[in-house]
Each structure stands twice: as C-alpha cells, then as structure tokens.
Amino acid sequence: MAWLYLFVAGLFEVGWAIGLKYTQGFTRLVPSVLTLASMVVSLGLLGLALKSLPLGTAYAIWTGVGTIGTAVLGIVLLGEPAGALRLACIGLIVAGIVGLKLVS
C-alpha cells in the first residue's frame, strides 16, 4: 500500500507544480486553492508512505514522479519544447525510478 501512496503523492505533486503556473502568483483564487490542496494531499500521502519505505528511496521516487509528470504536462499543456535530448533525460529519470523500486 505504501508504494501506491507514494505514486499518488507524486501525481498530486504534479498537480501542485502545474497549478503554480495557473495561480499567477497566487492572485487567482480557484487555482490557488486547488494548488494548496494538492500540496497538502501530496505531502500527507508521502508521510503515509514513509511509515514503511526508506526515506531516500521514497523521496527520490516522489520527486521523480513529480518531475516526469510536470515535464510531460509542460510539453503537452504549455507548449514547452520536446527535443530528443530532453525526452532522453526524462527517460533517464524513469530508469532511475524503476531502478530504485527494483532494489527496494
């Protein structure tokens, strides 16, 4: 169950990272509230996952899931560049997450 908590926490990290873009410096109410709620849920689920997972592994995977999701949504939603080198670097992060899961 801890791995599921960790993965969902990473998804909520994506939510608040992307949400920050839409808050326009926390000047827009609805995006700001949703972003703050995503932060709380993300950290809460990370805390639950840390009850049974090693800190270093859990934190690295949490930030990795957040990084990958944010980068991909930046490409899809915000028109950020999707060059081969950038995609290869995202692939390396995926490989690191899989590696950490396999050795844990």
Side-chain angles (χ1 to χ4, degrees):
M1 197 65 175
W3 288 105
L4 179 62
Y5 290 150
L6 184 60
F7 181 72
V8 175
L11 295 179
F12 274 95
E13 184 188 6
V14 174
W16 68 258
I18 293 294
L20 284 172
K21 182 75 171 174
Y22 292 100
T23 68
Q24 295 182 356
F26 291 101
T27 60
R28 297 179 62 211
L29 180 62
V30 172
S32 296
V33 169
L34 293 174
T35 298
L36 291 171
S38 290
M39 288 176 177
V40 169
V41 171
S42 181
L43 288 172
L45 290 171
L46 176 61
L48 289 174
L50 286 173
K51 286 183 174 182
S52 60
L53 297 176
L55 172 64
T57 300
Y59 186 76
I61 291 175
W62 178 67
T63 58
V65 169
T67 301
I68 293 164
T70 302
V72 169
L73 286 180
I75 291 167
V76 172
L77 296 177
L78 305 173
E80 295 176 0
L85 187 55
R86 185 172 187 178
L87 294 175
C89 290
I90 292 170
L92 289 172
I93 297 169
V94 171
I97 289 172
V98 170
L100 285 170
K101 171 66 172 107
L102 292 175
V103 300
S104 293

